[in-house]
Amino acid sequence: APHAPSLDRVDVLQPTTFAIMVSLAALWQANGIHPDAVIGHSQGEIAAAHVAGHLTLPTATKIVTLRSQTIAHHLTGHGAMMSILTTPEWVQEALTPWDGRLWIAAVNGPASVSVSGDP
């Protein structure tokens, strides 16, 4: 039997998490839960745009798939990212010794920061 591609691959993981997000939203809506607003980050932005009615499911799926393939084929291996559960201020100070090699890539919340840089 053929083996499923690994979830370690970004071109597999991102469409999978997108499918889970969209499916959960559909399940909630089927049970009468209709949010006034939705937000997302990364592929979650695309899922949120679909759930909000701004993208059809085929269009949103195509965007997520092409985006994840672009990341896998053109960006993977050229750098690394890591999520840190602390404040942006703490991270900024902690990165001082690595100036120019590591930096804040995204502030995901008051105590969640992603850094990126050399692998």
Side-chain angles (χ1 to χ4, degrees), residues 2-52:
H3 291 98
S6 171
L7 286 175
D8 291 336
R9 291 177 28 192
V10 69
D11 58 328
V12 176
L13 179 63
Q14 287 195 357
T16 301
T17 57
F18 167 82
I20 292 168
M21 289 182 262
V22 169
S23 298
L24 281 172
L27 177 65
W28 295 334
Q29 290 170 349
N31 284 284
I33 300 169
H34 300 280
D36 292 330
V38 291
I39 60 172
H41 172 71
S42 190
Q43 71 273 12
E45 295 173 82
I46 303 162
H50 166 66
V51 170

Side-chain angles (χ1 to χ4, degrees), residues 27-112:
L27 177 65
W28 295 334
Q29 290 170 349
N31 284 284
I33 300 169
H34 300 280
D36 292 330
V38 291
I39 60 172
H41 172 71
S42 190
Q43 71 273 12
E45 295 173 82
I46 303 162
H50 166 66
V51 170
H54 297 291
L55 293 174
T56 65
L57 184 57
T59 298
T61 303
K62 185 174 183 175
I63 292 168
V64 166
T65 302
L66 292 174
R67 179 183 177 276
S68 67
Q69 289 173 353
T70 299
I71 292 168
H73 298 135
H74 300 288
L75 298 176
T76 299
H78 297 285
M81 291 186 75
M82 177 174 61
S83 181
I84 303 170
L85 297 175
T86 190
T87 65
E89 296 78 19
W90 185 92
V91 172
Q92 189 62 53
E93 186 175 325
L95 292 181
T96 301
W98 291 279
D99 188 35
R101 294 183 295 153
L102 292 174
W103 50 88
I104 293 177
V107 177
N108 303 310
S112 176

